[in-house]
Amino acid sequence: MTKYICKLCHYVYDPIAGDSTQNIKPNTEFKDLPDDWVCPECGADKSEFEEA
């Protein structure tokens, strides 16, 4: 599973871990995140992420 990094704050989204702050279950690929998902560190939207 590919990790993605926020270009603004460098938070790394790890699909294996998911995102418990927004009820994203473990093993959720970045492409499968809801459109309204935002970076839990800085609030950036998905367009501000790139493959790590």
Side-chain angles (χ1 to χ4, degrees):
M1 291 186 162
T2 304
K3 294 180 181 179
Y4 282 76
I5 188 166
C6 178
K7 295 183 281 187
L8 302 179
C9 73
H10 306 290
Y11 166 81
V12 176
Y13 175 74
D14 182 354
I16 292 173
D19 176 11
S20 63
T21 68
Q22 296 177 68
N23 297 318
I24 304 298
K25 294 180 181 180
N27 298 311
T28 301
E29 293 278 0
F30 188 82
K31 67 178 180 62
D32 296 327
L33 291 172
D35 290 337
D36 62 350
W37 181 85
V38 295
C39 176
E41 296 287 319
C42 72
D45 66 29
K46 287 173 60 175
S47 67
E48 295 296 337
F49 280 74
E50 61 188 8
E51 284 189 30

